[in-house]
Amino acid sequence: MKKVLIYITLKEGVLDPQGKTVQHSLNTLGYETVREVRVGKYMELLMEDDASIESQVEEMCEKLLANPVIENYTYTIEEVVTL
């Protein structure tokens, strides 16, 4: 069994209104050193071990999980250790 950790972020130059709202709120709470916040998505998938797992993850990200026009994605694949 494999655990796939997927991180999706907006591409550089794409406006992030949610990030701006979080930044403003942090500044209002006194965290004035925060200059920029970018909000993204994090997902974990448990998948059966398969020789094509990387290509499957790429395909899932391109087709559904990320919008390749405005988002970038990265992922890592870990072995699930059972006790």
Side-chain angles (χ1 to χ4, degrees):
M1 186 75 69
K2 300 284 188 179
K3 181 189 285 187
V4 181
L5 311 174
I6 303 171
Y7 303 89
I8 300 172
T9 56
L10 289 172
K11 288 184 176 182
E12 193 67 34
V14 174
L15 295 178
D16 186 353
Q18 188 177 7
K20 277 290 186 204
T21 300
V22 172
Q23 176 201 350
H24 177 72
S25 297
L26 289 170
N27 293 160
T28 301
L29 289 171
Y31 301 102
E32 296 174 10
T33 57
V34 177
R35 293 289 166 236
E36 183 178 359
V37 175
R38 304 286 286 174
V39 175
K41 297 181 269 187
Y42 168 75
M43 295 173 217
E44 288 186 11
L45 308 176
L46 285 178
M47 298 179 65
E48 295 294 330
D49 201 355
D50 187 281
S52 65
I53 192 168
E54 287 191 40
S55 62
Q56 289 180 47
V57 171
E58 292 276 339
E59 191 173 298
M60 287 187 276
C61 288
E62 293 288 331
K63 287 185 173 181
L64 177 69
L65 302 178
N67 178 347
V69 174
I70 62 169
E71 295 175 320
N72 292 317
Y73 63 88
T74 59
Y75 61 90
T76 58
I77 299 173
E78 302 175 351
E79 188 69 40
V80 174
V81 179
T82 55
L83 301 176

